[in-house]
Structures are given as C-alpha cells and as structure tokens.
Amino acid sequence: MALFESSNLSQEPLIKVNKWLQEALKLEVHLPHAMNLSTVDDSGQPSSRMVLLKSISDQGLIFYTDYESQKGQMISRNNKAALNFWWGKTEKQIRIEGECVKTTSEESDKYFHSRPRGSQISATVSFQSEEIESYLELVREAEKLDKKSDSDIERPARWGGYLLVPNRIEFWKNQSNRLHKRELFTLESIKWKKTLLSP
C-alpha cells in the first residue's frame, strides 16, 4: 500500500506540496508523509503531535485519528488547525493552515479496512489519550480481540478521517547565504494569491 495518495491536483500550491513530498520520498526520507498537526483548546493553549498524511487533492490533506482523542475533541470545538512538514535531507519546510472537516463514513470505512489487521485492532482497543491502568492490560485486550475475531474488524464509530481544507500554504527552502526562500500562497475567494516573504 502506498504511503499516501495524490489525485486531482490542479491548484499550484497543492501541486507543489505533492512535488516536495515526492522529492522526500525519492530520497528515502524516513516517514516523508509525517506532519506536525497543531490544534488549540478552549483556553487558547496550542497542542502539537505528529500524524501521517494519507491523501492529498485539490480539496486538501487527509489524516486519520480517534475523534474522541485530545486532538479530536479540540477539532470538534475549534476546527482551525495547522500542519507542518520538515525534511532535513531536502532542507525544505511546508506550513499549512486551514479548517478540518470529517471525511465521510464511506471514506473512513474504506481506509480502515485497507489497514493491516494490527492497526485495526489497535484503533479498536485503544481509546486514544485516555488514562490506562497498565500497558500490559492494553496488550491483552488487543490479543483477546485478535483471537475472538477471525473476520474483518468493524471500524469503531469514534475513529475516522479529517480533511484539512487549506487557506494558507507557505514553502520555505534553506539557502546557504541564510536568506532563505519563502513563498506564501493565500486563498482569496476561490483563487490562490502568491507572495514572497522576507526570511
């Protein structure tokens, strides 16, 4: 299975995001599709964690998670979020801001059933971000489910995808003279406006 899918790309900044991703992939960067996701709680406190890009299109970028996790609860109350890619090998960074919307149940089902069985079991027995009594007990729950179910595991309703719809995308490239190149794309109405930023 591919690390991530790219389709229907016609918008300049999304094409460039995919181009930089493919470059990192070609250079065999470990987890080139790993991105830092930042969300904000009710008090304005930001929180960041790494998630994996699973799909990119003109509509935006898709990742999957537990809707009842800390990030899922934050997104449910404030759907504005930010993503950040950084690859040391290419010395490039992409910052993306936008709003998250849930993917359809059909999309979430399709991706869930394409995942390895171990990942399906993990998503089922682990209530992400909740306190647990012991790690060993969590492992036992996973083993119990694996033995109990011979067939496909049903996707938990609390688990699914988010599409981050971007409205701001910035490309940063390291330069040896320290005058780093920064290109900013801002969505205005239905068109992307490109500007250059001072480093």
Side-chain angles (χ1 to χ4, degrees):
M1 188 174 72
L3 293 179
F4 61 92
E5 296 179 359
S6 55
S7 59
N8 304 323
L9 291 168
S10 64
Q11 303 292 319
E12 184 181 355
L14 279 308
I15 292 172
K16 188 164 184 171
V17 170
N18 188 50
K19 182 180 176 183
W20 283 20
L21 278 160
Q22 295 299 335
E23 180 185 16
L25 189 61
K26 188 175 180 181
L27 289 173
E28 298 183 345
V29 171
H30 183 60
L31 296 177
H33 60 318
M35 52 191 186
N36 185 288
L37 168 69
S38 295
T39 53
V40 179
D41 70 11
D42 295 337
S43 71
Q45 174 63 50
S47 181
S48 298
R49 78 288 288 163
M50 302 303 291
V51 296
L52 297 177
L53 170 70
K54 289 303 172 183
S55 178
I56 179 173
S57 69
D58 277 347
Q59 284 67 51
L61 299 91
I62 291 177
F63 62 93
Y64 289 85
T65 190
D66 189 320
Y67 292 141
E68 295 176 10
S69 65
Q70 182 196 47
K71 61 182 164 299
Q73 291 180 44
M74 286 182 174
I75 291 170
S76 72
R77 295 192 292 270
N78 179 354
N79 71 340
K80 293 179 181 176
L83 298 171
N84 185 290
F85 290 97
W86 160 251
W87 307 282
K89 271 192 177 181
T90 64
E91 297 186 302
K92 292 177 178 177
Q93 172 184 241
I94 305 175
R95 298 170 60 203
I96 303 173
E97 297 175 10
E99 297 183 355
C100 293
V101 294
K102 285 183 180 179
T103 58
T104 64
S105 295
E106 292 75 20
E107 287 174 296
S108 292
D109 283 341
K110 182 181 177 183
Y111 177 66
F112 184 82
H113 292 298
S114 75
R115 303 179 85 205
R117 182 174 176 83
S119 297
Q120 294 178 11
I121 290 171
S122 173
T124 303
V125 301
S126 172
F127 290 75
Q128 197 176 87
S129 301
E130 287 191 10
E131 287 187 18
I132 57 174
E133 289 296 323
S134 75
Y135 179 75
L136 185 59
E137 185 57 34
L138 184 65
V139 172
R140 285 185 184 136
E141 286 296 315
E143 290 171 346
K144 193 188 302 181
L145 177 60
D146 192 23
K147 289 174 184 173
K148 178 182 174 184
S149 176
D150 294 328
S151 57
D152 282 344
I153 295 167
E154 186 177 349
R155 175 180 67 88
R158 69 176 195 282
W159 191 95
Y162 282 110
L163 169 71
L164 184 132
V165 182
N167 52 43
R168 183 181 172 96
I169 303 176
E170 182 191 321
F171 298 89
W172 180 98
K173 188 175 186 319
N174 183 52
Q175 299 294 308
S176 59
N177 62 5
R178 307 304 294 167
L179 295 172
H180 310 305
K181 290 183 177 178
R182 294 176 66 190
E183 290 181 336
L184 175 64
F185 289 83
T186 309
L187 189 61
E188 296 184 355
S189 185
I190 58 172
K191 289 187 178 180
W192 287 97
K193 177 188 175 184
K194 177 181 173 181
T195 54
L196 300 178
L197 301 178
S198 174

